Amino acid sequence: AEEMGALVVTLPLGTREVDATSLHPPGEPPLFVINSDAPADRQRFTLGHELGHVACLADSNVDPEQMAQAFSAELLAPARQVHADLKAAAITPARLLQLKGVWLISASALLRRAYDLAVISESSYRRISAQISALGWRTSEPDPLPAERPTVVPELVRQATAAAGGVGAAAAAAGTTAHFIRMLSGQPEAEQGDVS
């Protein structure tokens, strides 16, 4: 996303009900705010979803959310490549965890991909979804993926902070808190000599 010119920020959004929010000002790069409270397993797919809103042309016959979901699924697990992995063995929660380590998306997203690509039936999809829910994976899957961290916005904030004379001065100039400036810079902990 950053290589394409988008600005990406990970911040706690105060709830797990919202995975992301974004702004697409005309003529400006899109800004994606990804909920850092969401599991890393979901964050990659969420960012792909937000990219889908920007990359795909609006079509009055297609729900924009479904379009963005389909874009993210194809971006992160292209049908031609993932289909063979999904067909190689029976889809079970254990198999989904194996594939999670390969495709770097959640087991739930892989399950949905198996259904969308007609690898499993609707009844199998529902049965395995129920198993995943019973295992508690809806809130926290095993084998969590490492979080990916944006680099562009944190570096810009660090440069602006240095130019302002430190975190306290940057926070005052921006009308926010030192803690927020540190979060944006990717350094949520105060450093020695840091003025809050």
Side-chain angles (χ1 to χ4, degrees), residues 84-155:
D85 279 354
L86 293 169
K87 294 276 292 179
I91 300 295
T92 64
R95 176 66 177 151
L96 292 169
L97 284 183
Q98 289 174 338
L99 293 175
K100 174 181 174 175
V102 173
W103 290 97
L104 304 179
I105 58 175
S106 70
S108 294
L110 285 160
L111 176 61
R112 181 63 196 206
R113 198 71 175 128
Y115 172 66
D116 289 343
L117 296 175
V119 173
I120 59 172
S121 66
E122 184 175 353
S123 62
S124 293
Y125 174 73
R126 282 194 220 152
R127 179 179 43 80
I128 299 167
S129 289
Q131 290 172 349
I132 285 174
S133 290
L135 291 167
W137 293 9
R138 293 284 178 217
T139 54
S140 180
E141 289 186 2
D143 304 334
L145 297 171
E148 295 180 10
R149 299 286 176 221
T151 59
V152 173
V153 170
E155 181 57 29

Side-chain angles (χ1 to χ4, degrees), residues 23-104:
L23 296 171
H24 314 154
E28 297 292 330
L31 170 65
F32 304 124
V33 181
I34 307 300
N35 190 352
S36 60
D37 292 333
D41 302 353
R42 291 179 60 110
Q43 290 179 17
R44 291 183 85 231
F45 200 91
T46 296
L47 182 55
H49 176 100
E50 295 303 320
L51 279 170
H53 283 300
V54 174
C56 299
L57 296 174
D59 181 340
S60 60
N61 298 321
V62 180
D63 175 62
E65 292 304 309
Q66 290 178 348
M67 177 199 61
Q69 286 295 95
F71 177 90
S72 188
E74 186 63 23
L75 176 70
L76 297 173
R80 285 189 5 207
Q81 285 92 0
V82 77
H83 192 268
D85 279 354
L86 293 169
K87 294 276 292 179
I91 300 295
T92 64
R95 176 66 177 151
L96 292 169
L97 284 183
Q98 289 174 338
L99 293 175
K100 174 181 174 175
V102 173
W103 290 97
L104 304 179

Side-chain angles (χ1 to χ4, degrees), residues 149-194:
R149 299 286 176 221
T151 59
V152 173
V153 170
E155 181 57 29
L156 291 171
V157 172
R158 287 191 290 272
Q159 289 174 12
T161 299
V167 172
T176 190
T177 65
H179 177 70
F180 188 71
I181 295 292
R182 285 192 295 270
M183 281 195 313
L184 285 175
S185 71
Q187 302 168 335
E189 301 299 322
E191 297 178 0
Q192 281 291 53
D194 187 8

